[in-house]
Amino acid sequence: MTTARCVLLDLDGTLVDSQPGIFASCVATLRALGHDPGEALDIKRAIGPPLEEMLQALLRARGDDRIDEAVAAYRQHYGESGLLGSEPYPGICGALQDIRQAGLRLYLATSKREVFARRILENLKLVMYFDAIYGSVPGGTLDHKPQLLAHILSEQDIHASHSLMVGDRRHDIVGARAVDMRCLGVLWGYGSRDELEAAGADQLVERTSDLARMVLSMLNG
């Protein structure tokens, strides 16, 4: 296995604020299934888990169990326009550049469909920082973070002790724990401090301006 230091990064809530595009696609999905989204639709806490879980929560509140139809409607809208509603958090480009310049390898590890994640990074001119992009694929085998991270470690021949997972939700932390990887929780995303601490994050970082320093400190230590 390679002894190179590697950083695996979540996408939504970690690198980019994707809430506007996800919100628009959720509204379109609910309307496609005949529901009124309502004025008070709040999806912030639903961002991060696999898509099926997010839509299941939205539909359950409306007494609807048509998950497959919802997923198809969501992906159609998101692929056409929703994914364009993402913006990198201020300071993220500089942090990625600093991490790369320090000689670390960067891998994207998101529950979002890999094809969508790649288009987002290309659109935002972030794709250049990554050695490889990983996300969910048709068939569902990589929908959950433990399986996704295990796949990345295996395919890239990465040693868990030389790597770090960075994310904003408990799913990122749980995934890292499952493969014996250290994990850094970010507090500018969609998860709370309580959520990340309860999941077992090794460290937390509050500002994007401190991200590179914290990553290097954890991997050098």
Side-chain angles (χ1 to χ4, degrees):
M1 287 190 170
T2 180
T3 56
R5 295 170 299 164
C6 303
V7 186
L8 282 62
L9 293 132
D10 176 50
L11 181 62
D12 299 327
T14 301
L15 300 179
V16 303
D17 179 8
S18 49
Q19 186 170 335
I22 292 175
F23 179 85
S25 292
C26 284
V27 168
T29 299
L30 290 173
R31 286 180 174 151
L33 270 64
H35 297 294
D36 178 4
E39 294 293 324
L41 183 63
D42 182 9
I43 63 160
K44 182 176 180 180
R45 292 297 179 207
I47 299 175
L51 177 60
E52 286 79 359
E53 291 182 25
M54 180 178 77
L55 295 177
Q56 189 172 34
L58 287 177
L59 292 180
R60 188 185 302 121
R62 293 162 175 80
D64 195 335
D65 61 1
R66 293 175 291 167
I67 303 299
D68 290 344
E69 287 183 45
V71 167
Y74 179 95
R75 285 192 169 133
Q76 179 177 345
H77 185 275
Y78 195 77
E80 291 172 353
S81 61
L83 63 82
L84 298 176
S86 299
E87 289 291 337
Y89 287 105
I92 281 295
C93 292
L96 295 177
Q97 188 169 354
D98 289 346
I99 294 171
R100 281 299 300 238
Q101 287 180 344
L104 278 63
R105 295 183 183 177
L106 291 178
Y107 299 96
L108 191 76
T110 176
S111 294
K112 187 186 295 297
R113 273 288 167 88
E114 183 179 310
V115 62
F116 292 156
R118 183 177 296 277
R119 286 175 60 193
I120 289 171
L121 292 182
E122 289 173 346
N123 182 57
L124 299 178
K125 307 294 191 292
L126 297 178
V127 72
M128 70 187 77
Y129 297 112
F130 290 88
D131 291 273
I133 296 167
Y134 290 91
S136 64
V137 295
T141 56
L142 301 179
D143 282 358
H144 299 277
K145 280 288 166 69
Q147 291 89 340
L148 179 66
L149 299 187
H151 173 71
I152 297 171
L153 294 183
S154 174
E155 184 164 294
Q156 294 293 334
D157 202 29
I158 297 169
H159 200 293
S161 65
H162 292 88
S163 58
L164 176 69
M165 177 66 202
V166 181
D168 70 310
R169 298 299 309 270
R170 65 178 179 83
H171 309 82
D172 303 306
I173 311 305
V174 169
R177 290 291 182 200
V179 296
D180 297 320
M181 188 189 303
R182 283 170 293 172
C183 37
L184 172 62
V186 307
L187 294 173
W188 53 80
Y190 307 127
S192 66
R193 178 183 292 272
D194 288 346
E195 174 183 332
L196 293 168
E197 288 180 342
D202 291 292
Q203 298 280 351
L204 299 178
V205 59
E206 294 187 5
R207 297 182 298 271
T208 58
S209 57
D210 293 327
L211 178 59
R213 179 184 58 79
M214 185 72 78
V215 164
L216 294 171
S217 172
M218 292 180 72
L219 284 175
N220 288 336

